């Protein structure tokens, strides 16, 4: 849930302070195929958790095989500046805009937000759907700008 509980509550949505008791055996059934897929993904996470440092991304972007960058922030965040040539697909639209993702599942992709919780969600979703070379920008757009790397605006 983008914005988390604080945004939910501040928007006037219903909240409860009562405890919920879950009876033994009342948990939903686990889909074994999904469990196996997620367990395999989590068990094979590399050191660094599929991240790329801002300065390293800048070098990659200036090379011949530049990765595709995908900005998963909100429109208002993007208005403050973004990495040149990045696709803009807000996280809350990511799964409904799969047709806009690169067709080649082996192509290098870097997702970013600010700082990295949404890009991590995007990274996991894309990897679970077969994209082999997806990374998240370490520190997000804040990490990018703290390294004095350029942003562009529309």
């Amino acid at each position: 849930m983008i914005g988390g509980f604080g945004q939910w509550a501040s928007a006037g949505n219903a909240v409860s302070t009562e405890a919920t008791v879950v009876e033994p055996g009342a948990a939903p059934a686990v889909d074994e195929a999904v469990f196996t897929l997620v367990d395999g993904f989590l068990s094979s996470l590399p050191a660094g958790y599929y991240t790329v440092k801002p300065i390293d991304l800048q070098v990659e972007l200036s090379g011949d095989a530049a990765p595709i960058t995908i900005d998963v922030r909100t429109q208002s965040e993007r208005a403050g500046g973004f990495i040149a040539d990045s696709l803009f697909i807000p996280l809350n639209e990511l799964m409904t805009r799969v047709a806009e993702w690169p067709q080649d599942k082996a192509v290098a992709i870097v997702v970013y937000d600010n700082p990295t919780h949404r890009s991590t969600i995007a990274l996991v979703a894309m990897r679970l759907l077969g994209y082999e070379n997806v990374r998240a920008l370490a520190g997000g757009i804040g990490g990018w700008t703290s390294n004095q790397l350029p942003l562009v605006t529309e």
Side-chain angles (χ1 to χ4, degrees):
M1 179 169 60
I2 296 176
F5 178 78
Q7 185 171 352
W8 174 270
S10 67
N13 293 301
V15 297
S16 173
T17 57
E18 295 180 29
T20 300
V21 178
V22 178
E23 298 298 325
V30 174
D31 181 324
E32 286 299 321
V34 171
F35 176 81
T36 300
L37 180 67
V38 173
D39 185 56
F41 175 79
L42 294 174
S43 298
S44 65
L45 288 174
Y49 187 65
Y50 300 117
T51 59
V52 58
K53 293 178 182 176
I55 200 73
D56 294 334
L57 177 57
Q58 176 68 0
V59 170
E60 290 179 31
L61 289 172
S62 63
D64 292 335
I68 294 167
T69 54
I70 302 176
D71 182 348
V72 296
R73 299 175 301 155
T74 64
Q75 180 64 51
S76 62
E77 289 172 306
R78 185 169 173 90
F82 54 91
I83 297 172
D85 301 319
S86 60
L87 299 174
F88 175 52
I89 307 176
L91 181 63
N92 65 340
E93 299 174 14
L94 187 70
M95 299 310 291
T96 60
R97 294 175 57 185
V98 173
E100 297 174 45
W101 298 8
Q103 297 303 303
D104 179 358
K105 291 187 175 185
V107 71
I109 299 170
V110 175
V111 291
Y112 69 91
D113 69 298
N114 193 32
T116 58
H117 67 281
R118 288 171 286 177
S119 58
T120 300
I121 293 167
L123 175 149
V124 171
M126 294 181 86
R127 283 196 168 261
L128 288 175
L129 289 172
Y131 284 81
E132 304 165 9
N133 193 4
V134 183
R135 296 170 293 161
L137 176 60
I141 208 74
W144 182 265
T145 58
S146 69
N147 280 275
Q148 287 92 39
L149 297 171
L151 294 177
V152 296
T153 56
E154 295 179 294

